[in-house]
Amino acid sequence: MSDSAKPDSYDVLAVAPHPDDLEILCGGTLAKLVKQGYKVGIIDLTSGEPTPRGSLEIRAREAEKAREILNVPMRINLDLPNRILMDEPANRFKLATLFRRYRPQIVIGSAGRTPAASPDHHQGHLLIEAARFYSQLTKWDDQFEGTAPYRVPHLVYAPFPFEAEQRSWQGTFIIDISDTFEQKMQAIQTYESQFDLGRFEKVAHFIRCVNGATGARCGYMYGEQFALPTSVGSTDLFTLVNGSKSLLSANIQPGKDHLPMG
Ligand SMILES: [Zn+2]
């Protein structure tokens, strides 16, 4: 956690095109980060409207309810146009302005191309990467409402599970969301305008299967997958592979207390 961070800065900002994207992709992880004490914010790039049964007011109300369920303290809607979202300079400036204002240590961005779903997803992926790069640029403050340059240290992808490409991401990892999975499902269920009861059951089944299969790869009941734009670096192979579990050479005696297990 960033004790030394400025009061208005965030540990994690999560960004995606539509309200409900982040809940589906990484709602369990966002709720877990909050539980772990990290300062988390959500940025929806668009309102998600128009849709057949939604309205601006309904979507905003649903998104707010989902935010409360996940206990995320801040949710901003950047109000870029839904359906025709584009990675273009003006939109990069707007998102980068938020990065410069809220100075996150980590940006989680939805990622991937979804040819059978909204093209906004692919454009959002490109836009998030570009805005992260723009955020650090000097001699351009007038494009970012006078905010100071800020370099976002880490970008983490939250890939769509129905992505077109089987990508060779540089580094992937899975977060155990067994303790926040039901919270995630409740947050998704708030979007009644998108998932009426019949549809929600199908969506819930799909998500349960995806998160179940993803988690099982690491021995968790439920997991969410993430990826990095670069390889994972570490100076300690043991800690990287073994997480924070204790070293045998530390104070824990074999046969006493609990043994660290792989
Ligand atoms: Zn979406």
Side-chain angles (χ1 to χ4, degrees), residues 16-22 24 59 82 114 117-118 120-121 160 162:
H18 313 119
D20 80 8
D21 284 341
L22 287 168
I24 292 169
R59 289 302 283 279
N82 181 45
T114 57
S118 172
D120 293 352
H121 297 148
F160 282 94
F162 38 93

Side-chain angles (χ1 to χ4, degrees), residues 13-18 21-22 25 43-45 78 80 85-88 91-96 99 104 106-112 120-135 152 154-158 160 229:
L13 279 186
V15 189
H18 313 119
D21 284 341
L22 287 168
L25 297 182
I43 299 172
D44 302 310
L45 294 174
L78 199 53
L80 301 179
L85 179 68
M86 294 301 288
D87 169 32
E88 60 185 20
N91 292 342
R92 293 174 179 178
F93 294 143
K94 286 181 185 167
L95 182 57
F99 292 164
I106 297 171
V107 165
I108 297 176
S110 62
D120 293 352
H121 297 148
H122 186 216
Q123 292 296 318
H125 175 163
L126 300 174
L127 176 53
I128 292 163
E129 288 176 334
R132 184 225 181 180
F133 180 77
Y134 276 22
S135 175
V152 178
H154 303 286
L155 171 63
V156 174
Y157 298 124
F160 282 94

Side-chain angles (χ1 to χ4, degrees), residues 26-114:
C26 59
T29 300
L30 296 181
K32 184 158 190 150
L33 284 164
V34 173
K35 261 178 134 173
Q36 290 167 329
Y38 296 101
K39 191 172 174 187
V40 178
I42 287 176
I43 299 172
D44 302 310
L45 294 174
T46 79
S47 66
E49 285 301 303
T51 57
R53 289 190 313 280
S55 72
L56 285 175
E57 296 71 30
I58 291 170
R59 289 302 283 279
R61 203 163 54 234
E62 291 170 345
E64 172 62 12
K65 199 171 161 196
R67 181 194 71 73
E68 286 174 5
I69 289 170
L70 298 176
N71 288 319
V72 171
M74 178 181 78
R75 182 165 207 154
I76 293 175
N77 197 300
L78 199 53
D79 214 17
L80 301 179
N82 181 45
R83 294 182 173 176
I84 52 170
L85 179 68
M86 294 301 288
D87 169 32
E88 60 185 20
N91 292 342
R92 293 174 179 178
F93 294 143
K94 286 181 185 167
L95 182 57
T97 299
L98 294 185
F99 292 164
R100 290 159 72 112
R101 183 166 295 142
Y102 294 106
R103 308 172 75 83
Q105 290 295 305
I106 297 171
V107 165
I108 297 176
S110 62
R113 197 169 64 82
T114 57

Side-chain angles (χ1 to χ4, degrees), residues 217-250:
R217 291 170 60 196
C218 295
Y220 310 140
M221 187 67 77
Y222 294 107
E224 286 171 339
Q225 171 140 29
F226 296 90
L228 298 169
T230 59
S231 298
V232 180
S234 177
T235 55
D236 183 341
L237 183 145
F238 191 91
T239 303
L240 176 69
V241 174
N242 207 36
S244 59
K245 291 170 189 167
S246 307
L247 299 169
L248 274 171
S249 58

Side-chain angles (χ1 to χ4, degrees), residues 134-188:
Y134 276 22
S135 175
Q136 70 196 315
L137 299 179
T138 58
K139 301 180 179 175
W140 228 9
D141 292 358
D142 56 325
Q143 299 287 3
F144 307 104
E145 299 177 15
T147 51
Y150 175 70
R151 186 179 175 281
V152 178
H154 303 286
L155 171 63
V156 174
Y157 298 124
F160 282 94
F162 38 93
E163 215 245 321
E165 285 86 13
Q166 295 295 311
R167 292 180 199 232
S168 298
W169 298 100
Q170 286 278 353
T172 63
F173 60 95
I174 288 166
I175 297 296
D176 178 3
I177 58 159
S178 306
D179 59 340
T180 51
F181 180 76
E182 295 308 328
Q183 213 177 331
K184 165 187 178 139
M185 296 310 291
Q186 278 175 31
I188 296 167

